[in-house]
């Protein structure tokens, strides 16, 4: 085990006390689990994910990405994914972190960097690459700031800048550059994704959305699917179902009310789509999620 990884593991073991721990470092979140988890649906925003103990599997459309302490995962746009912890135990709990990626910070860093030729071909907005000490070392220093919170305002921005630089120099550097470049296909797809996430309850025409991005309909559809592994309408359906699930669990709405609120006109169609994505009918799924949430404090104490 490398020294940076050992340092990260020791520091995170002290600070990752719950299933998910927000930290004083802006954009840095720690995760902890004492066992394997069932597949869960969520939306990944642009972020760097790193595992320091255990392993995880993330599904985007038909693609499955598996990573552990030897790899890192990067998301460059908002993506609805299914993920689960695949290796964890009480003796060796799953420990991981995520760090938000800000396109503005990437753009600012690029201003002072020499131009680099990038591959114009579109890739999925989710990727896994080999993890090296060049990236581990600054990440370990960033997490170590949790032991010296007074240093965070000054040192965290500098260390995050180094992390971004290492990512830009790495295998996914070309894809990361695209999120900061106005007019790039990834930037255009990201704009369309932001529009769909804001207007998911509305009907929309793909031709109109393509024109808003400045692309022809065939080009927009091709690039959108290359990045998200799904069509624009499939993406909207995923976002609708995620929001409906949140409303039922957090707000207490029933399935019919939640379905109408997110844009469905037919309760039966909502139930069919919901079961297709989550595997069970809405009422059963929500009951199971609420039971899991009620048991969460005990799980956290066990970790």
């Amino acid at each position: 085990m490398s020294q940076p990884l050992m340092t990260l593991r020791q520091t995170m073991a002290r600070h990752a006390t719950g299933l998910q721990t927000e930290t004083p470092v802006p954009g840095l979140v720690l995760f902890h689990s004492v066992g394997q988890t069932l597949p869960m649906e969520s939306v990944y925003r642009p972020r760097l994910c790193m595992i320091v103990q255990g392993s995880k599997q993330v599904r985007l459309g038909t693609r499955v990405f598996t990573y552990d302490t030897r790899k890192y995962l990067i998301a460059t746009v908002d993506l609805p994914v299914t993920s689960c912890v695949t290796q964890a135990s009480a003796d060796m709990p799953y420990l991981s972190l995520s760090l938000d990626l800000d396109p503005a910070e990437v753009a600012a860093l690029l201003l002072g960097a020499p131009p680099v030729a990038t591959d114009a071909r579109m890739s999925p907005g989710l990727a896994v690459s080999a993890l090296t000490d060049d990236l581990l070392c600054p990440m370990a220093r960033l997490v170590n700031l949790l032991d010296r919170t007074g240093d965070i305002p000054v040192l965290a921005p500098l260390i995050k800048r180094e992390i971004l630089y290492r990512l830009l120099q790495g295998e996914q550097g070309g894809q990361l550059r695209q999120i900061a470049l106005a007019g790039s296909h990834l930037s255009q797809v990201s704009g369309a994704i932001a529009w769909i996430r804001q207007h998911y309850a509305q009907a929309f025409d793909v031709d109109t959305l393509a024109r808003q991005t400045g692309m022809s309909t065939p080009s927009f559809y091709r690039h959108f699917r290359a990045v998200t592994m799904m069509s624009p309408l499939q993406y909207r359906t995923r976002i609708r179902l995620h929001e409906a699930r949140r409303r039922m669990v957090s707000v207490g709405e029933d399935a019919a009310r939640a379905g109408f609120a997110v844009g469905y006109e037919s309760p039966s169609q909502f139930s069919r789509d919901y079961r297709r994505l989550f595997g069970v009918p809405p009422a059963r799924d929500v009951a199971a999620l609420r039971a899991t949430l009620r048991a969460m404090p005990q799980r956290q104490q066990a970790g």
Side-chain angles (χ1 to χ4, degrees):
M1 183 191 308
S2 69
Q3 185 60 45
L5 181 60
M6 185 181 300
T7 300
L8 261 175
R9 186 174 293 180
Q10 293 170 345
T11 307
M12 288 182 58
R14 295 194 301 273
H15 292 280
T17 55
L19 295 178
Q20 178 173 322
T21 304
E22 302 286 340
T23 74
V25 177
L28 178 66
V29 182
L30 309 182
F31 302 90
H32 170 278
S33 177
V34 296
Q36 298 180 358
T37 62
L38 295 174
M40 290 293 294
E41 303 288 334
S42 60
V43 177
Y44 277 14
R45 59 182 179 269
R47 61 173 58 172
L48 164 68
C49 299
M50 192 180 295
I51 294 173
V52 303
Q53 191 162 269
S55 62
K56 190 173 188 178
Q57 188 177 89
V58 181
R59 181 184 295 274
L60 172 64
T62 59
R63 290 278 300 274
V64 177
F65 301 83
T66 301
Y67 71 114
D68 52 21
T69 58
R70 298 166 297 180
K71 302 175 182 177
Y72 69 88
L73 178 143
I74 186 170
T76 50
V77 294
D78 293 358
L79 295 169
V81 302
T82 305
S83 63
C84 61
V85 173
T86 55
Q87 182 181 350
S89 67
D91 294 331
M92 297 283 286
Y94 170 82
L95 293 170
S96 72
L97 59 85
S98 73
L99 181 65
D100 290 347
L101 300 176
D102 185 348
E105 292 179 358
V106 177
L109 186 56
L110 288 176
L111 288 175
V116 177
T118 59
D119 193 338
R121 292 174 299 180
M122 293 300 294
S123 302
L126 203 66
V128 170
S129 292
L131 180 60
T132 65
D133 283 355
D134 282 347
L135 186 55
L136 266 173
C137 287
M139 185 59 75
R141 285 189 275 111
L142 184 69
V143 175
N144 281 344
L145 292 179
L146 299 179
D147 291 330
R148 305 186 305 275
T149 55
D151 293 342
I152 290 175
V154 174
L155 296 183
L158 301 177
I159 300 173
K160 288 168 70 175
R161 184 177 175 87
E162 181 181 350
I163 290 169
L164 285 178
Y165 175 77
R166 295 302 179 188
L167 288 174
L168 287 168
Q169 296 298 308
E171 186 178 9
Q172 303 305 322
Q175 190 78 343
L176 185 58
R177 283 180 176 85
Q178 295 299 310
I179 73 172
L181 299 177
S184 71
H185 290 315
L186 184 59
S187 176
Q188 291 169 313
V189 170
S190 181
I193 285 173
W195 190 93
I196 293 173
R197 293 203 65 186
Q198 185 176 358
H199 303 91
Y200 60 83
Q202 302 176 16
F204 72 88
D205 179 72
V206 175
D207 292 337
T208 301
L209 188 56
R211 285 194 296 272
Q212 290 177 0
T213 65
M215 287 190 278
S216 68
T217 299
S219 177
F220 169 70
Y221 190 91
R222 183 173 67 254
H223 287 107
F224 192 99
R225 195 172 189 89
V227 171
T228 66
M229 306 298 293
M230 61 193 78
S231 72
L233 292 179
Q234 288 171 330
Y235 184 94
R236 183 190 65 180
T237 296
R238 288 286 187 99
I239 297 302
R240 281 180 169 182
L241 294 173
H242 278 285
E243 175 61 16
R245 194 187 209 194
R246 185 196 67 79
R247 296 175 74 99
M248 287 186 290
V249 173
S250 302
V251 184
E253 293 182 352
D254 58 28
R257 186 184 296 272
F260 283 126
V262 299
Y264 277 88
E265 297 179 358
S266 166
S268 60
Q269 183 63 51
F270 170 70
S271 294
R272 284 195 296 270
D273 286 352
Y274 194 100
R275 183 165 190 162
R276 188 178 299 116
L277 179 60
F278 298 116
V280 292
R284 191 188 307 174
D285 179 55
V286 170
L289 283 172
R290 286 175 176 163
T292 299
L293 291 173
R294 285 195 295 269
M296 193 173 292
Q298 287 74 26
R299 289 187 179 184
Q300 292 176 345
Q301 291 167 11

